Amino acid sequence: MDTVTESQRTLYPYVTGSSVVAIKYKDGILMAADMGGSYGSTLRYKSVERLKPIGKHSLLGASGEISDFQEIMRYLDELILIDNMWDDGNSLGPKEVHNYLTRVMYNRRNKFNPLWNSLVLGGVKKGQKYLGTVSMIGVNYEDNHVATGLGNHLARPILRDEWNENLTFEEGVKLLEKCMRVLLYRDRSAVNKIQISKITEEGATVYPPFSLKTYWEFSAFKNPTVGAEVHGSLLVVNEMKQNFTWISA
Amino acid sequence: MFRNQYDTDVTTWSPAGRLFQVEYAMEAVKQGSAAIGLRSKTHVVLACVNKANSELSSHQKKIFKVDDHIGVAIAGLTADGRVLSRYMRSECINYNYTYESPLPVGRLVVQLADKAQVCTQRSWKRPYGVGLLVAGLDESGAHLYYNCPSGNYFEYQAFAIGSRSQAAKTYLERKFNNFTASSREDLIKDALIATRESLQGEKLRSSVCTIAVVGVGEPFHILDQETVQQLIDTFEIVREEETAPAEPEAAAEQDAATDQASGADQGGAGNQGGADQGGSPMDI
C-alpha cells in the first residue's frame, strides 16, 4: 500500500488544459485540442501538446492538470515498452489502453489522490475503430464522438446534429474546427492555437498547430445590450412603461 | 533409474552439466496417462486417456478450462497440474480485468514457464511434476504449446505426452502436414485415432477418453461423453474385440501399485517412450 502524506495528495489542479474533442470518421479517429496551459485564470503556457500517440494503435488527448498528464504518459510509456518487449505478434490496442487507464484513474480516486484529468483515448486496430473517454473519478464510456469539459456542453450538441459514420478526412476536420471555434468564443480558458491529430490503420499523425479565423462583427457581440436601451435606472423604465400598451400573445 | 550423488537436490549440478532432479521430474510426466494435442489454423483439440483406478472410483480430471480461449491438458502429478491451472486462471482473469481483453496464449505460456524455472533454482523447492499441453487462440491464430517441468516451452502443430505417447506421436508425425487446413471434425477424428494408438489395443470408448475443443467463434469446452461416443461410432474406428482382454487387467494391477506410491495419475507403468534413456531430455 502506498502511503502518501496529507500535503502530497492532489487537492486542486494548478496548470490545466481545456477541452479535447474527438470523432470517429471513415478511416479512423480525429482529435482536436488547443495548446493552452492555464495557470488559474492566466493563459500562461501557449505551446502545450495535449495530444500524444500511444503505441502503434492509439491516440491520447488530455484536459486538466498537465503534470498529471505527464505522469500518465510515463505509465503508458512503460506499459507500451513492456508490450513491445514481448515481441510476439500481440500488441495492446486502444480498447486495452482505455481500460488500463480506467483502472488507474479509478484506483487513484479510491485513494483520494486523483490524477486530475479527463482523458480521450481513440484508435484503430484490425479495422476496428475505438473511441472512449475516462474522467478523473473513473467514469468511462465509448461513443462515436466524445469531448471533455466544456466541450461536452458546447461541442457535442453540434456533433449530435452533424456527425455521421462516413465523414471524409476533410469533412471531419471541418466539423472539429467548427466545434473548436465555438469553444474559442465561449470558453475563457481556450487559446487560439489548435492542434488536430488523426489515427488510422496506418498510424498516428499529429499535425502542426494552426489558428482559427474568428469573426467578431456579430451584432450580438457588438450590441450586447440590445433590448436594454434605456440607460439609467429601473425607475426611469417603469415610468416609461406606463406609456406603453402591452399586447398579450 | 540412475542413482548417484548429484541428484539429492535441484540446486546441484552433475559433472556432466545436468540437473537430475529436473530430469526426474520429467520422468513423472512420462508416468502419467497420455495427453494429446493437435491444431489447425482455426481450432485446437486436446484429447486424453482417462482411466479410473477401479470401477468404484471416478476419473481423474486431466483437462482444465483456463479461460474462454485457453484450455490445458496435463500429464503427471495431477495435484501439481491443478495448482498450475489455478495460477493460469488467475492470470487470465487479472489480465481481463485490467485490459477488458483476453490474455494472449503466448504470454501466459511464458509466465508459466518462468514460474516452473523458479522451482529449478531454489534449494527449498522442487520442480513441478507435470507436463502441460496448453491450447489457445489469440490474435495471431490458434496455438498449441507444451510446458515442461524444466521451465522450457515449445510450440507444436501436434504433440503427445505421458505413457504410451510415442504411439500417438508416430501417428501424428505421419499426418501432421494436413492439420493446418483440417476441418474441426477431421481434427477431432485425428485426435481420437491418436488416442486409440495410445490405448495399444484396448477398445476406444468414450468412458476412457476425454476430448476438448477450442476454436474461432467456439469457446473452450469439454465434449460430453455422448457426443464423444457418437463421434467414435461415426468414425468407425473402434477396434474389434479380438485383442486379449488379459492385457489391460495386468496393467491395471501394476498401475494400482505405482499409484499409491507416487501419487501419479493412472497410466501404464511401463515407459514406452524409453528412447531418451541415455541423453538428457533437456537437450531436446
Side-chain angles (χ1 to χ4, degrees):
Chain A
M1 276 307 200
D2 324 61
T3 41
V4 173
T5 69
E6 272 302 313
S7 63
Q8 289 180 343
R9 292 197 292 114
T10 301
L11 299 171
Y12 24 74
Y14 286 88
V15 179
T16 55
S18 71
S19 317
V20 178
V21 187
I23 55 175
K24 283 187 189 169
Y25 78 109
K26 192 164 61 82
D27 305 325
I29 310 290
L30 277 169
M31 211 181 278
D34 67 30
M35 297 192 78
S38 306
Y39 185 60
S41 49
T42 320
L43 298 178
R44 181 144 176 217
Y45 302 103
K46 308 219 185 129
S47 294
V48 180
E49 284 205 17
R50 299 197 285 118
L51 305 173
K52 298 277 185 191
I54 310 291
K56 289 188 290 250
H57 305 285
S58 315
L59 259 183
L60 175 66
S63 66
E65 173 61 58
I66 299 297
S67 63
D68 282 351
F69 173 49
Q70 290 169 349
E71 183 81 350
I72 289 170
M73 283 309 298
R74 282 188 3 169
Y75 288 150
L76 289 177
D77 284 342
E78 187 180 332
L79 185 74
I80 298 293
L81 178 70
I82 293 181
D83 189 45
N84 289 342
M85 276 180 6
W86 282 101
D87 197 19
D88 65 349
N90 293 301
S91 56
L92 292 171
K95 176 157 116 131
E96 287 80 15
V97 178
H98 184 221
N99 275 283
Y100 171 78
L101 286 171
T102 305
R103 289 292 117 235
V104 170
M105 302 300 273
Y106 184 63
N107 272 293
R108 289 289 296 255
R109 164 262 195 199
N110 284 342
K111 296 197 275 200
F112 282 92
N113 186 17
L115 289 159
W116 205 287
N117 295 106
S118 286
L119 305 168
V120 171
L121 201 299
V124 197
K125 192 170 176 210
K126 293 233 170 83
Q128 297 272 55
K129 300 189 275 263
Y130 186 92
L131 182 59
T133 180
V134 198
S135 77
M136 69 188 249
I137 55 172
V139 174
N140 71 305
Y141 51 90
E142 303 165 51
D143 208 337
N144 294 320
H145 45 81
V146 295
T148 66
L150 275 177
N152 277 307
H153 301 101
L154 298 172
R156 294 210 59 213
I158 300 174
L159 296 169
R160 280 184 209 118
D161 274 347
E162 299 187 23
W163 180 87
N164 71 71
E165 267 187 22
N166 300 311
L167 293 166
T168 62
F169 176 72
E170 287 74 24
E171 288 169 347
V173 170
K174 276 225 183 77
L175 190 51
L176 278 181
E177 284 178 359
K178 186 170 181 177
C179 296
M180 296 308 284
R181 185 171 287 109
V182 173
L183 284 165
L184 183 57
Y185 284 135
R186 297 296 178 178
D187 182 358
R188 71 108 185 250
S189 50
V191 139
N192 195 2
K193 194 168 166 192
I194 315 288
Q195 253 193 332
I196 292 197
S197 64
K198 79 165 185 219
I199 183 153
T200 62
E201 193 75 54
E202 281 77 53
T205 318
V206 181
Y207 290 99
F210 64 97
S211 64
L212 290 166
K213 279 223 192 82
T214 52
Y215 179 72
W216 298 100
E217 307 303 307
F218 289 113
S219 58
F221 289 174
K222 293 181 80 171
N223 288 319
T225 55
V226 75
E229 255 78 72
V230 180
H231 204 66
S233 148
L234 170 66
L235 303 171
V236 174
V237 176
N238 267 346
E239 223 178 86
M240 294 186 70
K241 243 205 225 162
Q242 279 147 23
N243 300 330
F244 288 127
T245 331
W246 291 103
I247 305 166
S248 54
Chain B
M1 284 283 315
F2 352 89
R3 280 246 141 270
N4 48 52
Q5 47 181 304
Y6 305 109
D7 66 356
T8 310
D9 64 60
V10 74
T11 51
T12 305
W13 288 100
S14 81
R18 294 156 72 159
L19 290 170
F20 282 113
Q21 277 298 304
V22 179
E23 295 182 23
Y24 296 165
M26 319 256 273
E27 284 302 314
V29 177
K30 295 181 196 158
Q31 300 294 338
S33 63
I36 295 153
L38 350 64
R39 79 169 150 113
S40 73
K41 195 151 189 282
T42 52
H43 287 79
V44 194
V45 177
L46 292 173
C48 54
V49 170
N50 245 125
K51 291 215 205 111
N53 269 0
S54 73
E55 278 186 24
L56 297 170
S57 82
S58 63
H59 297 146
Q60 193 59 274
K61 190 166 169 187
K62 281 166 61 78
I63 297 189
F64 298 89
K65 175 171 172 166
V66 167
D67 201 342
D68 284 337
H69 66 299
I70 302 181
V72 63
I74 62 168
L77 266 55
T78 34
D80 285 2
R82 247 192 354 264
V83 160
L84 288 176
S85 300
R86 190 166 60 228
Y87 169 73
M88 292 165 81
R89 286 171 176 167
S90 179
E91 290 300 298
C92 283
I93 282 179
N94 286 341
Y95 188 91
N96 211 316
Y97 179 71
T98 310
Y99 301 104
E100 274 280 319
S101 202
L103 174 57
V105 211
R107 298 191 180 183
L108 177 61
V109 155
V110 172
Q111 285 174 253
L112 199 52
D114 290 347
K115 192 171 162 71
Q117 190 279 341
V118 168
C119 298
T120 67
Q121 214 176 2
R122 305 278 185 272
S123 60
W124 63 90
K125 284 181 181 261
R126 64 156 177 84
Y128 289 105
V130 64
L132 301 117
L133 279 173
V134 183
L137 250 48
D138 65 27
E139 52 181 47
S140 43
H143 298 276
L144 174 69
Y145 292 93
Y146 171 51
N147 277 69
C148 275
S150 59
N152 279 332
Y153 70 97
F154 309 93
E155 183 161 11
Y156 285 97
Q157 185 75 46
F159 199 50
I161 57 177
S163 80
R164 298 186 226 174
S165 59
Q166 190 52 53
K169 265 190 267 191
T170 313
Y171 173 77
L172 293 171
E173 272 166 30
R174 277 191 285 130
K175 294 296 215 76
F176 78 95
N177 278 313
N178 303 327
F179 287 165
T180 308
S182 259
S183 70
R184 178 185 180 276
E185 284 61 41
D186 284 341
L187 210 62
I188 298 180
K189 177 177 166 188
D190 281 320
L192 284 164
I193 298 176
T195 314
R196 187 190 59 178
E197 299 295 312
S198 281
L199 286 168
Q200 299 269 304
E202 217 187 298
K203 184 170 168 191
L204 177 65
R205 303 179 309 268
S206 64
S207 54
V208 298
C209 67
T210 314
I211 309 279
V213 190
V214 64
V216 174
E218 185 179 354
F220 183 89
H221 64 286
I222 297 175
L223 303 182
D224 62 85
Q225 296 290 62
E226 285 155 37
T227 316
V228 176
Q229 190 57 53
Q230 274 168 21
L231 287 163
I232 294 174
D233 296 335
T234 321
F235 297 144
E236 292 173 325
I237 52 181
V238 177
R239 277 243 175 95
E240 276 82 280
E241 308 288 63
E242 279 133 48
T243 33
E247 199 190 50
E249 274 162 33
E253 273 157 40
Q254 258 181 304
D255 294 343
T258 32
D259 221 38
Q260 309 319 12
S262 69
D265 66 356
Q266 194 55 253
N271 182 7
Q272 213 81 358
D276 31 14
Q277 285 289 348
S280 164
M282 290 192 290
D283 293 337
I284 300 165

